[in-house]
Amino acid sequence: MDSVVQRLHLHLPPTATDGRAAQRNGFQDDDLLLSFVLPTTDVDGYLAQLKPERPLAPSKIPFAG
């Protein structure tokens, strides 16, 4: 999971639990998936510090890890 966090240039808060990561190697593109649980009180603050260059679009290929 640490390698996915580093590759995505994210900082997980210390209150994050149940972290999981996966990678799907595609023909032209690779996908990284990261999930974790935050206490409700930490969610808005975490989302506010994210500043993506562009919003993510849903993948047209279903993820089956």
Side-chain angles (χ1 to χ4, degrees), residues 10 20 26 44:
L10 292 175
R20 299 168 191 228
D44 289 335

Side-chain angles (χ1 to χ4, degrees), residues 1-13 16-24 30-38 46-47 49-50 56 63 65:
M1 185 172 89
D2 291 335
S3 63
V4 172
V5 170
Q6 290 173 355
R7 189 156 183 201
L8 294 174
H9 307 287
L10 292 175
H11 169 73
L12 294 185
T17 60
D18 197 24
R20 299 168 191 228
Q23 178 177 357
R24 177 176 58 184
D30 295 338
D31 294 323
L32 294 173
L33 180 66
L34 176 66
S35 69
F36 54 92
V37 177
L38 286 177
Y46 183 76
L47 293 177
Q49 60 93 27
L50 295 176
L56 293 176
F63 185 82

